[in-house]
Amino acid sequence: MTSYPRNPEDSETTPRENIPGVPDYGWRVKLDYECKTKCTPFTKPRLSQIPSLVGLSLRYMKVWVKTRRQGRRMFIDHLDQVEHKSMYGCPLGGIGCGTIGRGFRGEFCRFQMLPGLYEHHTVQANQFILCIRKNGKTVYQKVLTGRKGKHLKAWEWGFPAQNATYHALYPRAWTVYDIPEYKLRLVCRQISPVFPHDYKETSFPMGVFAWSVENNGSEPVDISIVFTFKNGTGSKNDTAGECQNEAFESDAEGRQVSGVLIHHSLRDIKCTYGIAAANKDDVHVSHKLHFDPKGNGRLLWDDLAEDGQLTPTPENQSRGRDSVPKAVISLFLLLLVRLVRALANLILPPAGPDKPQRKGQETAAAVCSQTTVPPGGKKEMDFTLTWDMPVVHFKNKENLFGRRYGRWFGYKKDACPRMCSYALENYPAWEQKIEAWQNPILQNSNLPAWYKSALFNELYYVSDGGTIWADPLEMKNGELSINRDTGEASVIQEYSKFAYLEGHEYRMYNTYDVHHYASFSLIMLWPKIQLSLQYDIAKAVMSEDATPIQFCMEGMRGIKKKGKSVPHDIGDPEDEPWACLNAYIIHPTCEWKDLNLKFVLQTYRDFSATKDKDYLETMYPVAKTVMEIAQKWDTDGDGLIENSGFADQTFDAWSMTGASAYCGGMWLAALRMMIEMGKVLGNEDDVKKYTEILDKGKVSFEAKVWNGKYYNYDSNPSGGHHDSIMSDQLAGYWFLKASGLADGSIFPDDHVKSALETVYKFNVKGFGKGNMGAINGARPDGGQDITSCQSEEFWVGVTYSLGASMIQQGMIDEGFQTAWGAYHVCWEWYGLAFQTPEAYMMDKHYRSLGYMRPLAIWSMQWALEKFQPQLLSS
């Protein structure tokens, strides 16, 4: 195999063979896959960059200490960065309801049950176990998922990893297990209810594991699959006690299911896990109400091996340690217990919850499905995992929120039996919707194989981005109900409030300068969510928070949020989002030159997609307000705004001075959009005003920034990097053309073509032979711009948006090659699958794992659909 970086044809995770029942496209690895690249979080800037960071470091430490003393975590904790693990696969669950991460080897890991807060734990007790019986005897029993740890040592671990294959294509994943000695193939299909233009099921906290078993042998075999799960998230708080398990059966939503509920609390919020299996004529379902996840697991293991079924936990064992071998229990007693169980199931109602666990104890439960597979036959067994945590709050506890799924399942925390029945009844319909959405892209031979994986798998972040999709609640007549605040827009009242983090480590909701890139995923797939988010931002524009702040970078003092400015973010889940804005205190973002403009750009882009005139009429006055503030940044009256000499935009460690390609281009694009919005709404005075400004500004932009080949970084020759080649120099043009308003008088076609060709030559092809994406800043001599740590970074989302801009312009091969580099580095070379970072560098460093901006890959699909439809006709 060639060394890194690699060309697309040498991709190591692109499927090379057809596996029946598994898509031909996605992210595929063997379970023995190991990423050999050792990469680490970025912590050490160059010596030349340190002087500009000294003041920031001192002021940051001061705030860090103060925050820790208050029992909180910093919104960005540079002293406790998450080190990547090359283990993650497709997460489980809908949007905004919490997520449970899965490893590609089957681990349950990276829990995000509390809104916006991640726990990176792998829970050893959460597993699938296979038992094979022939002629009434157990001939094979092994854990299929995960790796052996310090507990449950009586279980047999170590399934031959070379005999299993993992395949992810969000929101589904497949694991294929081959057991050649018994001529068996098992396929586990993991499904979450996520599909476009759905605002109901897509919010549900559930996932399904649909198992199929093929017997290619000449004798029938009895197959049992056991699903085990424990309370909590694998943290030390799991031993807080008061968790209890409860067996249940339900057909409330049409499918008869049997399983176990695990009632517990996360922090102080009640949560119930439900694990269940579908009852079918040819499938026998049994369960173990309790076993000790920190014991040796002997009781459960031997119980399963006895007859391929589980015996409900006797009361006198429910608190004991798994230390007594089953062999010492007499056969007579075992048969007696099972006889009593059978009679009880016939004449007694289901038992209630068992006794709460004492402090220091944990609990786990198991559900088993057993069936007989004839020679040459195939059988299916279905399991589900649901979680009911409908009422949540943030750290400050000022408001209660009901997760959106509560509109259909209620807020009483008793919905898991219904949800289990619902999931196992409806998952075939989910798959039909997923396939109807994905197949036209997957089956299109004009699109690169890796792109099909990247497009759907990067979408993991919409659900696994610390996301909350919820309604504010109030108490009425002793019951919680949605607070129908008359001040909220009708879109929010109908489609709820939505927020997702800037990153797993950058804990700020709806970071607007970053969402600008990611927003294509929402406007294309869930446009009502994008509009809801926009209404929230519009409302926040006029708000003010006079809390005094010393900003960490420059040390200047100011207030947390100025009125008539677009907020940087809508808050930190360790505080009170929507009420306490701007968790980000590195810079005074009211002086950032891109935030106000990005509001205007998104407003018109959204209108171009939805044709929602009511939306435009509501947003237009806000857009006018933020443009009036932005116009004050035109300090010399030439129609073009100037940057202020600090990092006053999304590249928040890369300073800009004077006119700049990035902000200047967005300013011109925003003016052009204001003109168009004025025309649509019949505001002729505004059209005239913005036209006059634009006519002056585009002349100044040409004179100050265009150098004959590309747009200079900025217009300050004394800065040492004014002529750097910025990969994102056409950010304004990109959005303008994407919105159907390409204007050659602002960005002449020959300028755009020359600039993109220059970026492709220097920023893309100049590094890693064109297989690393686009470096943020290149020098005219072909080197890196090292004036800032960010100038020498590759930003995944910026690379994807650059690819989109190229595709819009007809540079299709260049666009795909550019984007390939970002996907290749993150999902293959650096081993960062399902945790795509904001940035990476040449020296195997990355920054901010699990980041929002890579959702910009959907702008590439937007570009293909709008500008290259001939490629999608295949």
Side-chain angles (χ1 to χ4, degrees):
M1 182 64 73
T2 58
S3 60
Y4 294 109
R6 297 174 180 169
N7 295 313
E9 55 270 21
D10 295 323
S11 167
E12 64 184 312
T13 63
T14 296
R16 302 297 182 189
E17 64 174 322
N18 174 264
I19 300 177
V22 179
D24 290 331
Y25 302 97
W27 187 79
R28 184 181 293 180
V29 293
K30 287 287 190 180
L31 265 60
D32 60 357
Y33 166 76
E34 298 280 354
C35 177
K36 303 299 184 182
T37 304
K38 304 299 181 184
C39 53
T40 56
F42 172 75
T43 57
K44 298 177 181 179
R46 296 174 184 269
L47 286 175
S48 60
Q49 297 164 359
I50 290 176
S52 65
L53 301 174
V54 172
L56 165 66
S57 301
L58 295 175
R59 286 182 284 270
Y60 175 87
M61 279 302 304
K62 181 180 177 181
V63 178
W64 188 92
V65 170
K66 179 181 177 181
T67 303
R68 283 296 179 131
R69 285 176 176 171
Q70 294 172 343
R72 301 176 186 273
R73 293 182 289 178
M74 280 289 282
F75 65 96
I76 301 175
D77 195 342
H78 289 298
L79 302 184
D80 187 21
Q81 297 188 68
V82 176
E83 292 199 10
H84 88 292
K85 300 176 182 177
S86 297
M87 64 176 290
Y88 295 111
C90 186
L92 197 69
I95 295 175
C97 54
T99 49
I100 296 176
R102 299 284 320 275
F104 67 82
R105 299 182 187 92
E107 305 94 334
F108 287 82
C109 48
R110 200 171 70 191
F111 290 76
Q112 190 264 136
M113 304 300 292
L114 298 165
L117 303 179
Y118 278 85
E119 296 180 270
H120 295 81
H121 305 296
T122 298
V123 181
Q124 189 186 358
N126 298 348
Q127 303 292 350
F128 283 100
I129 302 170
L130 171 65
C131 175
I132 303 173
R133 292 174 59 80
K134 299 180 74 171
N135 301 318
K137 295 182 179 180
T138 296
V139 296
Y140 182 101
Q141 188 163 296
K142 197 176 287 284
V143 181
L144 292 177
T145 50
R147 292 174 170 177
K148 188 172 184 179
K150 62 180 180 180
H151 304 299
L152 305 174
K153 292 186 176 181
W155 295 8
E156 187 172 339
W157 302 80
F159 182 89
Q162 69 275 12
N163 291 346
T165 300
Y166 178 82
H167 184 105
L169 190 69
Y170 183 83
R172 296 191 293 174
W174 294 254
T175 309
V176 181
Y177 301 90
D178 287 312
I179 307 175
E181 60 267 41
Y182 295 103
K183 299 182 179 179
L184 291 173
R185 167 169 280 189
L186 284 76
V187 179
C188 177
R189 199 165 73 254
Q190 175 187 307
I191 311 119
S192 293
V194 177
F195 27 85
H197 306 287
D198 178 90
Y199 301 92
K200 180 183 176 180
E201 289 179 294
T202 290
S203 73
F204 289 177
M206 53 184 66
V208 168
F209 305 97
W211 287 83
S212 66
V213 185
E214 296 179 25
N215 179 8
N216 298 310
S218 58
E219 298 179 332
V221 291
D222 297 328
I223 299 293
S224 299
I225 296 176
V226 177
F227 181 26
T228 64
F229 215 78
K230 72 174 287 294
N231 72 293
T233 59
S235 76
K236 62 182 180 181
N237 296 322
D238 292 358
T239 60
E242 297 305 312
C243 51
Q244 55 189 142
N245 298 354
E246 177 181 3
F248 76 93
E249 294 187 354
S250 176
D251 61 358
E253 295 291 339
R255 173 65 63 183
Q256 180 70 36
V257 300
S258 301
V260 178
L261 306 177
I262 303 174
H263 304 289
H264 58 136
S265 294
L266 300 176
R267 274 195 181 173
D268 58 347
I269 303 177
K270 297 292 185 182
C271 177
T272 298
Y273 292 148
I275 60 171
N279 291 294
K280 303 179 182 180
D281 291 341
D282 57 351
V283 175
H284 178 270
V285 179
S286 56
H287 72 269
K288 177 75 72 175
L289 185 63
H290 169 85
F291 72 90
D292 180 7
K294 294 297 178 68
N296 63 21
R298 174 67 64 187
L299 292 174
L300 183 144
W301 193 259
D302 288 352
D303 184 13
L304 177 64
E306 183 71 29
D307 61 1
Q309 300 177 24
L310 296 177
T311 305
T313 312
E315 178 62 27
N316 64 355
Q317 289 181 10
S318 66
R319 299 293 168 263
R321 306 291 289 183
D322 286 325
S323 56
V324 182
K326 190 172 179 180
V328 305
I329 302 175
S330 70
L331 178 63
F332 173 77
L333 180 59
L334 179 64
L335 294 174
L336 180 62
V337 167
R338 289 190 169 156
L339 176 63
V340 171
R341 183 191 84 180
L343 293 172
N345 286 341
L346 291 174
I347 62 177
L348 296 177
D354 70 346
K355 295 179 182 179
Q357 296 291 98
R358 296 189 301 271
K359 187 173 183 179
Q361 290 184 325
E362 302 174 45
T363 184
V367 176
C368 173
S369 286
Q370 185 184 51
T371 191
T372 299
V373 187
K378 181 178 179 180
K379 290 290 185 73
E380 295 186 352
M381 294 177 277
D382 299 337
F383 296 84
T384 184
L385 169 63
T386 67
W387 51 98
D388 191 21
M389 196 178 183
V391 180
V392 294
H393 58 73
F394 298 110
K395 185 71 175 275
N396 274 14
K397 302 182 182 179
E398 294 178 14
N399 300 290
L400 288 179
F401 291 91
R403 283 175 161 152
R404 182 169 174 82
Y405 80 88
R407 292 188 176 206
W408 295 277
F409 289 101
Y411 305 114
K412 294 183 179 180
K413 311 176 187 71
D414 60 358
C416 266
R418 273 186 64 204
M419 291 198 294
C420 288
S421 176
Y422 188 97
L424 292 176
E425 173 69 16
N426 288 281
Y427 85 83
W430 301 347
E431 292 199 280
Q432 290 177 2
K433 294 175 183 178
I434 293 168
E435 289 170 3
W437 161 40
Q438 294 184 340
N439 280 350
I441 295 171
L442 299 181
Q443 295 170 2
N444 189 317
S445 60
N446 293 326
L447 302 176
W450 67 264
Y451 172 76
K452 298 169 184 179
S453 171
L455 185 68
F456 293 113
N457 283 326
E458 291 285 18
L459 202 60
Y460 85 95
Y461 196 82
V462 174
S463 64
D464 195 16
T467 314
I468 180 169
W469 192 9
D471 301 294
L473 298 180
E474 62 178 349
M475 187 68 72
K476 277 189 178 181
N477 302 319
E479 290 193 356
L480 288 171
S481 61
I482 297 174
N483 182 359
R484 301 292 184 181
D485 182 352
T486 56
E488 293 285 16
S490 60
V491 169
I492 295 178
Q493 292 193 37
E494 184 174 356
Y495 296 99
S496 307
K497 300 171 83 69
F498 178 87
Y500 61 155
L501 295 177
E502 179 179 335
H504 292 176
E505 298 184 85
Y506 284 25
R507 212 181 50 251
M508 296 160 282
Y509 271 133
N510 292 353
T511 299
Y512 198 69
D513 57 299
V514 181
H515 167 71
H516 181 71
Y517 295 79
S519 63
F520 281 91
S521 64
L522 296 185
I523 196 61
M524 292 185 72
L525 302 175
W526 297 280
K528 298 299 184 182
I529 291 180
Q530 167 65 9
L531 299 191
S532 172
L533 188 154
Q534 280 285 95
Y535 276 106
D536 265 336
I537 293 294
K539 184 177 180 180
V541 164
M542 304 309 295
S543 68
E544 183 160 308
D545 182 348
T547 303
I549 293 291
Q550 183 180 27
F551 296 101
C552 293
M553 180 62 83
E554 293 82 14
M556 64 183 70
R557 296 182 182 273
I559 63 175
K560 196 167 188 185
K561 166 67 172 67
K562 279 190 177 182
K564 299 183 180 180
S565 64
V566 172
H568 174 273
D569 58 83
I570 58 108
D572 176 358
E574 286 275 282
D575 196 345
E576 193 65 37
W578 287 300
C580 187
L581 310 177
N582 282 357
Y584 180 89
I585 56 170
I586 304 300
H587 296 286
T589 56
C590 61
E591 296 297 330
W592 274 19
K593 306 306 182 291
D594 61 340
L595 286 171
N596 287 7
L597 309 179
K598 286 173 175 175
F599 179 82
V600 177
L601 268 56
Q602 286 186 58
T603 294
Y604 186 79
R605 190 274 318 274
D606 296 347
F607 172 71
S608 76
T610 64
K611 309 303 180 186
D612 186 339
K613 195 170 180 180
D614 290 339
Y615 166 77
L616 190 65
E617 288 175 342
T618 302
M619 295 294 129
Y620 186 72
V622 183
K624 282 184 63 176
T625 297
V626 299
M627 285 296 281
E628 288 172 5
I629 296 299
Q631 192 174 354
K632 296 177 181 178
W633 299 325
D634 177 9
T635 56
D636 57 7
D638 67 347
L640 188 65
I641 63 171
E642 282 81 38
N643 292 87
S644 300
F646 69 98
D648 53 354
Q649 28 67 41
T650 196
F651 297 89
D652 60 350
W654 196 8
S655 64
M656 290 180 183
T657 303
S660 68
Y662 185 72
C663 294
M666 277 194 285
W667 165 250
L668 298 181
L671 288 169
R672 180 65 184 86
M673 289 183 173
M674 291 300 295
I675 292 168
E676 198 66 22
M677 287 189 278
K679 290 178 180 178
V680 172
L681 299 175
N683 297 321
E684 293 304 322
D685 290 343
D686 290 346
V687 171
K688 181 180 178 182
K689 171 186 173 181
Y690 292 121
T691 300
E692 290 174 353
I693 300 171
L694 178 59
D695 286 344
K696 288 198 301 181
K698 61 189 179 184
V699 173
S700 298
F701 188 67
E702 176 83 6
K704 291 184 174 181
V705 184
W706 179 250
N707 67 15
K709 288 187 177 180
Y710 60 92
Y711 293 97
N712 282 335
Y713 181 75
D714 65 21
S715 62
N716 177 34
S718 64
H721 60 275
H722 80 285
D723 57 349
S724 285
I725 306 164
M726 186 187 195
S727 62
D728 212 9
Q729 62 183 266
L730 288 171
Y733 172 79
W734 162 54
F735 237 81
L736 191 65
K737 183 159 185 174
S739 304
L741 289 179
D743 189 331
S745 71
I746 305 172
F747 300 98
D749 284 345
D750 62 328
H751 287 24
V752 171
K753 186 174 186 294
S754 177
L756 288 174
E757 288 175 346
T758 301
V759 168
Y760 187 67
K761 176 182 178 181
F762 286 88
N763 301 62
V764 179
K765 298 295 285 185
F767 300 93
K769 298 181 180 179
N771 294 305
M772 286 197 71
I775 198 168
N776 282 342
R779 296 294 299 150
D781 64 4
Q784 305 173 63
D785 180 338
I786 61 171
T787 56
S788 157
C789 55
Q790 288 183 349
S791 61
E792 59 177 316
E793 289 181 330
F794 298 73
W795 284 13
V796 181
V798 168
T799 295
Y800 287 153
S801 66
L802 174 60
S805 193
M806 290 175 174
I807 289 170
Q808 287 180 173
Q809 203 62 19
M811 299 171 61
I812 297 168
D813 292 342
E814 294 89 341
F816 280 127
Q817 181 63 36
T818 295
W820 152 254
Y823 174 77
H824 168 56
V825 170
C826 294
W827 290 74
E828 297 186 339
W829 186 3
Y830 285 14
L832 302 175
F834 292 100
Q835 52 187 324
T836 316
E838 158 75 316
Y840 54 87
M841 305 176 83
M842 296 282 293
D843 57 1
K844 300 182 179 61
H845 287 113
Y846 60 82
R847 184 170 57 80
S848 187
L849 289 177
Y851 202 74
M852 177 196 292
R853 204 181 322 248
L855 286 169
I857 193 168
W858 278 87
S859 68
M860 294 180 66
Q861 187 64 20
W862 175 286
L864 288 165
E865 293 180 10
K866 299 284 185 182
F867 300 98
Q868 308 298 337
Q870 76 283 358
L871 294 180
L872 303 182
S873 61
S874 172

